[in-house]
Amino acid sequence: MPSLSSNSLRSRQNGFLPELDEVVDMLGPHMLSFVHRPAFNDPVHDVALFDPEVRTQVEHGELIVGAGATAATVLDLIDQAASGRACGVVLREGNARLEAVREQARSRGIALIACPAEVPWAHLVVLIRRVLDGEFREPVESAGPHPEDLFAMADEAAQLLGAPVTIEDNKSRLLAYSAGQEETDPTRLATIVGRRVPPRVLAHYRARGVFKKLVGSDRPFLIEDGPNGTMPRLVVPIHHRGQWLGAIWAVLSERSMPPDLERLSWILESLSTTLLRIQSHLEVERRQLEACLVSLLTHGPGRVPSALGPGPWRAVRVHDNEDGADRQAFEADNLCSGLLLHARRAGWQTPLITTVNQQVYVLVQARGAEPGSWDWLRRLVLETASIGSLVLLAGGVSRTSETIAGSRTEADELADLLRDRPSLASSVTFEDEWARLYLARALKVMTEHDVPGPVWELQLHDDQFGTEYVRTLEAWLSYQTDLRRAAKELHVHPNTIRHRMKRIADIVDIDLEDPEQVLAIRLQAQAIRSGSPAATAAQLERLADSRRSSSTTPARSAAVSSSQTTRSPA
């Protein structure tokens, strides 16, 4: 079986042998997907093409691409690959998902991988080779078209047709759209926001045979009004050697074919020869870049992608400030896709946007105002109404790649603060809320490792007798013994505050002239308030048990007894 090169030796020399699931994951589900995955995960030493006319020995660790496999030869191919200890076999979807083929792969214990029919074998092998050569572990500068080229084509098509257009792939996913007129009709707006055609509109078009026309012909055609106020569309299919890749969708104000459709020919020629690269090569680059971003954001240190530019940087968490978290446009993946699309539209060539633990993050330059900077991102969210009601939460400035993960942690801490007090601003930085964040960190440690003290004694008294001594003490200290302001905070008379402070002095032994005690009291009071009810109840129960089992001095016992028996409504 002919191997394509001495890649195995080169990989060993480079110290890089990717495992099979890493290769599949790097290329993505639009190119490769597991049909059967064994428990073990072998490294991939090489890639080889299957030739049914030449029966040569399979090498250990080879990934066999069944370009010449047919229904009559596919089972024999799996046997050869398993006997030679290949790491896996790649077949076309139709062959790979046959029950007999799947059972053969299971019984022989070899990985079976499916490849869609629209992916050329030569293109697949080239991409696998690049993964094996370790190219996707370094920054990849694409020689193919960038997404902004698609936006330029969309603008040109819109000008020629005199109508706003979108360019969509063969899965109805938005690739680009012309500038302006986002709100021409609800379907165009929903497509731009959600990055795909709404399901109800898709079902309407599918029922009327629109997609059959797209697959079967490259001739433009008109479609009538759709649901929910969808205006008529001119649909211009994009084909490449008989294969449907996508379409240009133009929103029409009148039900008539626009003139000069022939002038679109150069745009269609460009799109038909580039969409395959847009859908495969750029997807591989995106996955490589995303893996690098996730590494930087989660643990660091890591390699800084060239697209990031010079530091310093900020990690920014994109926070949905609305209650409708179940809306499709604000699910993590769709929100990430939408931001990527808007960022490219606004001029950021390689947006550094990804998801970690179902949260969306953006890695930006901390200085400057060019695309990809913090100030630019803030303007984008403010000016792009279709993105929705979002808040940007920026961690502190990172001057080295090793500290980017720390900036992301600070952004997460800001999100925790906003759960209790939502922000009215569209962006919040670590520097804006440093005092609250510092306090929150201290309180977290205290709630996890708190020790009994005078504030817990007062909280136990409040819990048992319905008093509000802890709140009163907090207000007294917060307003620096200003009776009127403390009373206004608690909605009571100033004399009530005086009376409660005397009771507090009877119950606990504290010195409010000692700055250290004052700081400790305020921290412990906030720790009690911010802790979980269950943890607070457990601590109070332990304190009550301790008091029942230990004896107190007669004076203190009398004082406590007096405070309990003479307690007033205050």
Side-chain angles (χ1 to χ4, degrees), residues 91-405:
L91 301 173
R92 288 297 188 199
E93 288 268 6
N95 286 331
R97 301 195 182 279
L98 292 173
E99 183 57 37
V101 175
R102 295 164 62 186
E103 180 57 35
Q104 182 84 339
R106 280 194 294 266
S107 64
R108 295 304 307 267
I110 190 169
L112 179 61
I113 303 164
C115 176
E118 61 266 24
V119 177
W121 286 122
H123 186 60
L124 174 66
V125 170
V126 168
L127 290 176
I128 293 175
R129 174 153 313 290
R130 295 185 67 188
V131 174
L132 297 182
D133 287 346
E135 292 185 31
F136 294 151
R137 294 209 163 185
E138 299 298 330
V140 180
E141 302 297 337
S142 174
H146 285 285
E148 67 269 19
D149 297 326
L150 287 177
F151 283 107
M153 292 180 192
D155 289 337
E156 182 70 18
Q159 184 175 359
L160 290 174
L161 297 173
V165 307
T166 57
I167 299 176
E168 299 162 18
D169 67 8
N170 55 10
K171 298 185 184 296
S172 298
R173 295 176 299 199
L174 183 66
L175 299 176
Y177 57 93
S178 57
Q181 298 178 302
E182 282 82 0
E183 300 184 28
T184 304
D185 68 5
T187 296
R188 176 175 166 83
L189 176 61
T191 300
I192 291 174
V193 173
R195 207 196 173 206
R196 61 179 64 245
V197 180
R200 184 175 180 182
V201 178
L202 281 178
H204 173 83
Y205 289 156
R206 191 172 290 112
R208 283 155 181 76
V210 171
F211 291 100
K212 288 183 179 179
K213 289 183 179 180
L214 283 167
V215 173
S217 172
D218 60 0
R219 295 178 61 84
F221 59 93
L222 293 172
I223 54 178
E224 298 297 318
D225 301 356
N228 298 330
T230 300
M231 297 171 65
R233 291 314 198 252
L234 168 68
V235 186
V236 185
I238 303 170
H239 283 246
H240 180 76
R241 296 180 180 177
Q243 177 187 344
W244 173 51
L245 301 176
I248 297 173
W249 297 70
V251 181
L252 303 179
S253 57
E254 299 179 358
R255 297 178 179 86
S256 61
M257 191 75 74
D260 299 329
L261 281 179
E262 294 298 325
R263 296 175 63 190
L264 281 177
S265 58
W266 75 268
I267 296 177
L268 293 174
E269 289 175 5
S270 298
L271 287 173
S272 65
T273 56
T274 60
L275 276 187
L276 275 177
R277 284 183 286 169
I278 290 292
Q279 293 173 352
S280 57
H281 183 83
L282 290 184
E283 176 67 11
V284 172
E285 287 188 20
R286 186 193 67 79
R287 285 176 172 271
Q288 177 267 333
L289 180 61
E290 183 174 305
C292 177
L293 284 177
V294 170
S295 175
L296 285 173
L297 289 168
T298 53
H299 49 267
R303 177 180 53 79
V304 178
S306 59
L308 185 58
W313 311 283
R314 285 186 188 270
V316 181
R317 176 165 163 175
V318 183
H319 179 76
D320 180 7
N321 206 26
E322 295 189 355
D323 292 332
D326 58 340
R327 293 172 302 165
Q328 181 180 5
F330 290 104
E331 293 176 358
D333 289 341
N334 284 328
L335 175 57
C336 183
S337 299
L339 279 177
L340 283 165
L341 193 69
H342 287 293
R344 290 180 182 127
R345 170 81 267 180
W348 195 2
Q349 180 174 314
T350 308
L352 302 179
I353 304 173
T354 190
T355 58
V356 178
N357 297 330
Q358 297 303 308
Q359 300 296 334
V360 179
Y361 295 90
V362 188
L363 196 51
V364 297
Q365 289 180 288
R367 299 172 182 166
E370 65 278 0
S373 66
W374 166 236
D375 286 343
W376 176 88
L377 181 63
R378 294 169 61 195
R379 290 197 307 273
L380 176 69
V381 170
L382 283 173
E383 296 170 0
T384 310
S386 58
I387 291 181
S389 179
L390 302 177
V391 178
L392 300 175
L393 307 176
V397 174
S398 300
R399 303 190 181 279
T400 66
S401 61
E402 288 82 358
T403 59
I404 288 176

Side-chain angles (χ1 to χ4, degrees), residues 24-37:
V24 173
D25 184 63
M26 190 70 73
L27 294 182
H30 72 292
M31 299 195 74
L32 294 177
S33 59
F34 279 105
V35 176
H36 171 66
R37 180 188 298 190

